[in-house]
Amino acid sequence: MTFAPAPIPSRTQYVLEAIKHAILTAQLQPGQALVETELAAQFGVSKTPVREALKTLAGTGLVVMNQYKGAIVRLVDATMAREVCDVRLLLEPEALRRSIGRKVSLEAAQEALERADSAGDKADRSLANRDFHRALYLPCGNPLLTQMLDELRDQAALVSTVAWATIPTWEREAAEHREILRLALDGDGAAAARALHDHIASFVSRGFPDDEDGGDPA
């Protein structure tokens, strides 16, 4: 028997989305302390929904909870970015190849591309990009594979936000997304998977270059 997760109370959901948006627009910086009393006063709620929202955000990887320092926005450095990238490289191209093999509709991916192009800020653009990637792997036919990739979505969005603060390359990423989708719509699973692999790897390489190449970690 399986049980659906309990719905998040509306006040907690409101606080959660507000904090997430602030993190993904860099209004809350990596490493910044998230003080429950200050956030409660800011949002006009008690500390309980703030505490629950922070716990949820810690579960998605955007926030780190420390028994001594409290909650902080997760720090993003080259190591963290590459760890997220490594897992995506192992799973996401294969999930896309399987989706194409099942001849599914990719209308959701096209819609996400359009939202990313018209996004008003970095958070909306980053989340639309995550929706694009999810629309490619969601129909892969393996719920466990989908779940594993879903659990990386917020961390991948945070990596994008930090990288774009240094090198705003979203136009290049958008062009790469269009090419990936073109290959997917043509039914060329192998080529689409290769393009997706190169897209993920090159983004992290640009945003978080190796020290040996003369770059500094973010």
Side-chain angles (χ1 to χ4, degrees), residues 48-102:
T48 299
V50 173
R51 186 178 302 116
E52 293 305 312
L54 292 177
K55 288 179 181 177
T56 300
L57 290 169
T60 67
L62 290 184
V63 168
V64 175
M65 308 289 284
N66 184 292
Q67 68 179 99
Y68 302 108
K69 297 181 179 180
I72 63 170
V73 179
R74 181 168 186 174
L75 289 167
V76 177
D77 58 14
T79 298
M80 180 269 195
R82 292 183 191 124
E83 287 174 352
V84 173
C85 172
D86 283 348
V87 178
R88 293 181 64 201
L89 289 174
L90 287 170
L91 301 179
E92 203 166 326
E94 174 62 17
L96 171 59
R97 188 189 66 78
R98 293 186 182 197
S99 293
I100 295 171
R102 299 179 71 229

Side-chain angles (χ1 to χ4, degrees), residues 2 9 19-20 27 34 40 47 102 105 129 138 150 156 160 163 168 194 196 203 209 212-213:
T2 59
I19 296 174
K20 178 189 287 189
Q27 296 174 53
L34 300 169
K47 290 197 298 183
R102 299 179 71 229
S105 171
N129 283 346
L138 183 63
D150 277 351
S160 296
R194 285 195 301 271
L196 178 58
F203 173 76
E212 300 82 45
D213 296 332

